[in-house]
Amino acid sequence: SVTVNSASQITATMNPGNATDTIYVRVCSSNGSSNCSSGSQYVSVTAPVVTPSVTSVSPASMTANGQNQSLTIYGSGFATGNQVQFKWGVGSGAGVWNNASGSVTVNSASQITATMNPGNVTDTIYVRVCASNGSSNCSSGSQYVSVR
């Protein structure tokens, strides 16, 4: 809705969407769009950072064969640019979140497919998804793959 408050002020309702953007604003006379202000004023829109949530992973267990395997991650809030991270329980780098080194595909807002190498020893590998590389907006990291 648009309300003319005075000769120098108008209030308008707008929906800025949910993406980072610059929205230019102009005012036109009621006689048509040819009598408009310059359109040089704008509103900067910053998209909210959505923290992904992981509800489950499949498969829930993998064979310790040192070979790359496909892992499907289910949850919500997934988007292009998200980073999949793993935390191994044993071996070098144990207990530290590491970015997935293989392919990561965001299939939808609720599903990601990632390549994971389970290593060669029995382990529990925790999985989380972060809003972007280096972001502190990450899922809980409570979902895991058992390696046998």
Side-chain angles (χ1 to χ4, degrees), residues 101-128:
S101 58
S103 67
V104 173
T105 303
V106 178
N107 303 315
S108 69
S110 61
Q111 184 184 47
I112 293 177
T113 304
T115 300
M116 183 178 120
N117 186 326
N120 293 307
V121 296
T122 300
D123 199 355
T124 300
I125 301 173
Y126 287 88
V127 179
R128 73 178 184 179

Side-chain angles (χ1 to χ4, degrees), residues 71-95:
L71 179 70
T72 303
I73 303 164
Y74 299 96
S76 61
F78 301 154
T80 300
N82 283 176
Q83 180 65 54
V84 173
Q85 296 184 335
F86 302 118
K87 181 169 65 171
W88 284 263
V90 297
S92 68

Side-chain angles (χ1 to χ4, degrees), residues 38-101:
S38 70
S40 61
Q41 299 301 310
Y42 59 88
V43 175
S44 294
V45 180
T46 303
V49 175
V50 176
T51 300
S53 175
V54 175
T55 55
S56 64
V57 295
S58 180
S61 65
M62 290 184 176
T63 303
N65 60 9
Q67 301 295 313
N68 285 342
Q69 299 180 42
S70 181
L71 179 70
T72 303
I73 303 164
Y74 299 96
S76 61
F78 301 154
T80 300
N82 283 176
Q83 180 65 54
V84 173
Q85 296 184 335
F86 302 118
K87 181 169 65 171
W88 284 263
V90 297
S92 68
V96 176
W97 288 108
N98 296 284
N99 290 339
S101 58

